[in-house]
Amino acid sequence: MNIHNILVAGNYEKEFQEQLPAKTPQSFRFKQIDEITEKDLSWADAYVGFKPCPGFHFAEIKWVHSFNAGINNYLEIDGWKEHDILLTRTVCTFGQKISEYCLSYVLRDLQFHSYFGIKQREKKWAPKTPQMVKDQTIVIFGAGEIGQGIARVFSSFGATVFGVSHSGKQKEYFQKVTKTSSASTLTAQADWIISTLPLTNATSKLFDRAFFSNLNGAAFINVGRGHTVDEQALIEALNSRNVRYAVLDVLESEPLPETSELWERDDIAITPHISAVTELNEAIACFLETLKRIENNEVLPNRVDFLKGY
């Protein structure tokens, strides 16, 4: 594939110049996303940005690169396979960031931070023995780069870590990886369920009443996509204690409406989709590495599989 004209959705020329080599054969055009015109789209054979511009269509475009790891906003556009368009996504330190996010909530829970905070305010000396990560069973849905990163961190503490994926292919840092259809044998024994799943037809509302009813007081962390969870089913599972605690970095509606019941619950922690914020310098570096691989006809590890949806 020959790439000559690259349209960047955003005024990021300064940031690109800091990483571009002194001489590059490509021509770059930087435009604010709402200022991109039909003429710009017709000029470009590559488009890069956090999301499609208004009125986006392929025109002469052969390659689209998402600055995000998630590509649902791009997949809403029809015609990828018909026009033989390459779609790639940003892969950088998301695994490390999300691993630290998850670890922070697990340690907070095992070390009884909330309990001791209450006792401090009450001025009560009330010892309670913390638990250890090594004694936890953790089931991670999604055994890709991010899931493996989380598995690496928790397995280094001695935790028992299982994985669940569409293929069930065995991966490093997991004691075992099973297919989604066989996950109930693992989730029934879990202390923690962590989801890193993308949103696809197969994962939409995967975490439903049937799923939560199989849990035995596990805590649930979602750092994947909000629409993979039936939020009403999660609330019911918290009420029944099938789930004892939930950490939600992604929700069905973002921002979460003030009227949502989720805000009011002490057994839910909500963060505003910050477990792995895309840093622009990393996104640009990933884009330039992908461009280099395309020029050299190398394998693209961040290429989107349209059948899988990620």
Side-chain angles (χ1 to χ4, degrees), residues 82-238:
E82 292 82 353
H83 292 89
D84 194 26
I85 308 297
L86 170 65
L87 176 61
T88 57
R89 62 192 185 94
T90 295
V91 176
C92 51
T93 59
F94 295 136
Q96 181 178 344
K97 291 176 180 178
I98 291 179
S99 297
E100 293 183 8
Y101 174 94
C102 294
L103 179 62
S104 73
Y105 280 95
V106 171
L107 289 175
R108 178 178 182 271
D109 183 73
L110 298 182
Q111 294 291 327
F112 302 122
H113 286 190
S114 295
Y115 169 83
F116 288 120
I118 292 170
K119 295 308 172 186
Q120 180 177 343
R121 290 190 292 274
E122 294 175 349
K123 299 181 180 179
K124 290 184 178 180
W125 190 268
K128 190 174 184 178
T129 304
Q131 300 176 53
M132 297 186 70
V133 177
K134 72 177 183 64
D135 298 321
Q136 302 297 297
T137 297
I138 298 171
V139 178
I140 302 171
F141 278 73
E145 183 186 10
I146 292 174
Q148 275 191 282
I150 298 172
R152 178 182 57 80
V153 168
F154 282 103
S155 62
S156 72
F157 281 88
T160 300
V161 184
F162 296 116
V164 178
S165 70
H166 176 73
S167 68
K169 182 180 179 181
Q170 302 309 301
K171 298 284 188 71
E172 189 177 6
Y173 306 119
F174 294 99
Q175 184 168 323
K176 176 183 178 182
V177 178
T178 190
K179 291 185 177 181
T180 309
S181 57
S182 305
S184 60
T185 57
L186 299 179
T187 57
Q189 58 183 302
D191 297 300
W192 295 85
I193 305 288
I194 300 175
S195 173
T196 70
L197 293 176
L199 179 61
T200 67
N201 290 335
T203 65
S204 180
K205 296 295 188 295
L206 176 68
F207 302 107
D208 56 10
R209 286 180 177 85
F211 173 85
F212 289 123
S213 67
N214 187 57
L215 304 185
N216 293 302
F220 178 77
I221 300 178
N222 189 11
V223 288
R225 285 292 179 265
H227 285 279
T228 62
V229 177
D230 182 332
E231 291 179 356
Q232 186 56 44
L234 174 59
I235 289 171
E236 293 170 7
L238 288 163

Side-chain angles (χ1 to χ4, degrees), residues 48-68:
V48 55
F50 287 100
K51 60 183 180 180
C53 65
F56 179 90
H57 64 93
F58 295 118
E60 300 300 317
I61 292 172
K62 297 180 284 187
W63 170 39
V64 175
H65 180 82
S66 171
F67 272 157
N68 293 313

